[in-house]
Amino acid sequence: MNKVTLRIFRFNPEVDDEPTFREYPVEVDPTDRVLDALHQVKWYQDGTLTFRRSCAHGICGSDAMRINGVNRLACKVLMRDVGEKVTIEPLMGFRVLKDMVVDMESFFAQYRSVLPFFIADSRTGSRERLQSVEDRERFDDTTKCILCAACTTSCPSFWANEDFVGPAAIVNAHRFIFDSRDEAAGERLEILNERDGVWRCRTIFNCTEACPREIKITQAIGEVKKAILYGTARV
Amino acid sequence: VEAEFARILSTEKGEPAATLRDEMQDVMMDHVGIFREDPGMRSALEKVRELQQRYENVVVMDKGRAFNTDLLEAWELKNLLDLAEVTTVAALNRTESRGAHLREDYLKRDDANWLKHSMVGRSESGELEITYKPVTITRFEPKERVY
C-alpha cells in the first residue's frame, strides 16, 4: 500500500461561485486504478465527490477526465503510473455541471449531426449486404470509438471554437463514409465540408494522443479531408 | 420515490451506503455464489435482512439536488438488497441443482419437483411469496449436465 494524495477539482453549482481544489489522502496498491482511488474518496471520505462512471472497464466511455493534465479514462490508468500527487480535473471545453461531471449535450448534438448510422436505400431483396474482408478493414479503426469525448476536449481548435464539429464526430462519420455498404457518404462529406466541419482541424494530433482506444484519429480526419477534396470515399 | 429521497436526505445519523453495500457483497459472494448450500444461504438471508433493517438509517453526505450520485447509490442499494433477498429466498427454496444454480446439498436435477420457474413477489404484509410458472419446453429438452 502506498500513500498518495489526490488533488481534485471541486465545484458544486448549488454552493460555490468558483471552483476549488481539495486534497484527499488515499492508500492504494500500485495496480489500483485512478477510478479505485476516486471510489475510495467517494465511498469512505466524501460522498459529495461526483463523477460519472459505469462499466469501470474501459468500454462505456463515462469516466474520461483530466488526470495530471491529460485526458484519460480513470478506469484505465494505474496508480503506479501517475505519481504520488495526482491532479484530477474535468474535461476541458464543456460547462462543468458538478465536480468531474460536464455538460455533454453539445458533444452528442455534434455526433448526431454527421448522421452516425447506417444509411442504404437500395433494396437487396432477401439477400444480405456482403462485404469483403478488405472492405471491412477499411473502416475498422474508427468502429472502436466509445464516445468518451477525450479527443474532442483535447483539441485546441475545439477549445477556440465550440461550434467545431470535433474529432469524435468526424471519427464516427468516417466509420460510415468508408463503409462499402453505406450509401450516404456524399451527404456526410457535404456536412463535414461546412464552415465548422473538418477544415477547422489543424492536424495538431492531440486527439490521437488522447484516445483511450488508440484510434488513429488524425489519420481518419485526413482521410475525410481527402475524400472531400477528391470527391470520393475510395481514397 | 420522492418521499423516499426526502427521507434519505433528511437522515442525519446512521451508516453510509458504501459500508452496507460492502457487507452485502461479501455475504452474497461467500454464501449465494457459485456453490450454495442450506446453512450458508440461511445465514446470508439473515444478514441481508439485518442490512435491510440498518438501511432504514442510511445516510448520505451529499444533500444537494444537482447530480447527486451519493443519493443515487443509496437508492440503488435498497433495490440491490431487495434483489439479494429474492435471490436467496428462491435459491434456498429450490432443493435441487439446475444450470448455474449448484447446490452442494442437492447435487442432482429434480424434474419431478422442480421443472418450473420460481416467481417471487412481496405480499401486502411485506413478506416474500413464492409462486410458480410452468416451463414451456421447445427445441431444447433439459438434459444431464456433462463435461
Side-chain angles (χ1 to χ4, degrees):
Chain A
M1 284 286 185
N2 300 327
K3 287 190 190 338
V4 175
T5 304
L6 299 185
R7 183 171 162 268
I8 306 180
F9 175 101
R10 300 301 311 268
F11 176 72
N12 179 351
E14 293 178 303
V15 187
D16 303 326
D17 294 324
E18 294 281 324
T20 51
F21 279 91
R22 275 189 64 182
E23 295 194 354
Y24 298 89
V26 288
E27 291 204 359
V28 293
D29 281 325
T31 51
D32 279 346
R33 305 158 304 167
V34 171
L35 180 64
D36 299 313
L38 287 170
H39 277 149
Q40 214 179 105
V41 173
K42 180 167 185 63
W43 291 343
Y44 309 113
Q45 297 184 37
D46 185 349
T48 66
L49 177 65
T50 304
F51 50 91
R52 290 192 179 105
R53 58 100 178 86
S54 183
C55 80
H57 289 81
I59 198 64
C60 75
S62 300
D63 63 353
M65 55 187 75
R66 252 185 307 159
I67 300 171
N68 286 342
V70 290
N71 287 357
R72 292 282 181 265
L73 298 181
C75 59
K76 280 188 83 168
V77 180
L78 298 184
M79 291 305 293
R80 68 173 177 219
D81 296 326
V82 290
E84 283 171 11
K85 188 155 181 180
V86 192
T87 302
I88 313 265
E89 298 160 278
L91 294 174
M92 207 152 47
F94 294 136
R95 188 166 64 97
V96 173
L97 297 178
K98 186 171 175 181
D99 298 343
M100 251 52 64
V101 177
V102 292
D103 182 353
M104 297 181 74
E105 285 300 326
S106 63
F107 176 78
F108 286 107
Q110 285 160 339
Y111 167 66
R112 285 190 296 270
S113 77
V114 301
L115 315 177
F117 40 84
F118 183 69
I119 301 174
D121 291 331
S122 64
R123 294 277 164 257
T124 60
S126 57
R127 285 187 305 113
E128 297 158 308
R129 295 173 198 273
L130 295 180
Q131 186 168 51
S132 70
V133 172
E134 294 73 38
D135 281 349
R136 175 62 180 74
E137 274 173 5
R138 182 66 193 85
F139 61 94
D140 188 64
D141 200 38
T142 45
T143 62
K144 295 174 186 158
C145 176
I146 56 175
L147 294 170
C148 67
C151 59
T152 295
T153 56
S154 74
C155 173
S157 303
F158 170 73
W159 296 334
N161 172 12
E162 61 177 3
D163 294 327
F164 171 39
V165 70
I170 302 171
V171 159
N172 284 278
H174 178 284
R175 182 253 171 271
F176 291 99
I177 289 168
F178 293 93
D179 185 336
S180 61
R181 301 163 298 181
D182 189 274
E183 294 167 5
E187 217 177 313
R188 294 194 190 88
L189 291 175
E190 240 172 75
I191 292 166
L192 290 173
N193 195 24
E194 285 181 12
R195 219 183 63 163
D196 291 312
V198 84
W199 305 112
R200 293 275 172 203
C201 165
R202 299 294 197 274
T203 323
I204 296 160
F205 278 93
N206 276 16
C207 52
T208 303
E209 281 185 23
C211 181
R213 307 284 294 159
E214 297 175 5
I215 300 171
K216 298 186 189 77
I217 303 177
T218 311
Q219 182 178 324
I221 296 173
E223 289 172 3
V224 173
K225 287 175 177 171
K226 266 177 149 178
I228 294 172
L229 276 181
Y230 302 115
T232 168
R234 303 311 187 92
V235 185
Chain B
V1 176
E2 280 292 324
E4 177 73 359
F5 282 174
R7 188 188 69 75
I8 296 173
L9 287 169
S10 65
T11 306
E12 292 295 337
K13 267 204 163 75
E15 296 174 273
T19 53
L20 297 175
R21 187 173 53 226
D22 286 345
E23 288 184 38
M24 176 191 72
Q25 287 172 336
D26 284 345
V27 75
M28 291 301 284
M29 183 60 95
D30 288 346
H31 296 305
V32 200
I34 311 292
F35 303 109
R36 309 158 161 190
E37 56 186 341
D38 190 282
M41 286 197 285
R42 256 175 226 290
S43 67
L45 188 56
E46 208 173 298
K47 178 75 182 179
V48 167
R49 286 180 171 154
E50 174 208 313
L51 291 170
Q52 285 170 329
Q53 285 301 313
R54 285 160 60 191
Y55 179 86
E56 296 300 313
N57 292 313
V58 73
V59 287
V60 294
M61 292 173 72
D62 194 337
K63 306 291 188 186
R65 300 295 290 185
F67 228 101
N68 190 339
T69 54
D70 202 17
L71 176 62
L72 186 70
E73 287 189 10
W75 168 254
E76 281 175 351
L77 176 63
K78 181 182 172 57
N79 299 330
L80 286 168
L81 284 167
D82 279 347
L83 289 175
E85 187 189 7
V86 166
T87 304
T88 311
V89 162
L92 253 177
N93 184 56
R94 184 175 282 273
T95 50
E96 63 154 357
S97 289
R98 180 179 299 267
H101 170 67
L102 198 154
R103 287 193 56 158
E104 293 190 299
D105 43 359
Y106 297 91
L107 283 167
K108 288 272 173 229
R109 198 179 79 231
D110 175 7
D111 281 348
N113 292 305
W114 289 108
L115 188 56
K116 53 189 177 184
H117 300 289
S118 304
M119 312 288 282
V120 186
R122 211 180 271 291
S123 73
E124 286 187 9
S125 61
E127 295 288 297
L128 290 189
E129 284 176 336
I130 303 178
T131 53
Y132 301 99
K133 191 178 137 188
V135 175
T136 314
I137 293 169
T138 54
R139 256 173 86 182
F140 305 102
E141 280 184 39
K143 283 189 188 162
E144 191 77 24
R145 174 167 267 222
V146 286
Y147 294 97

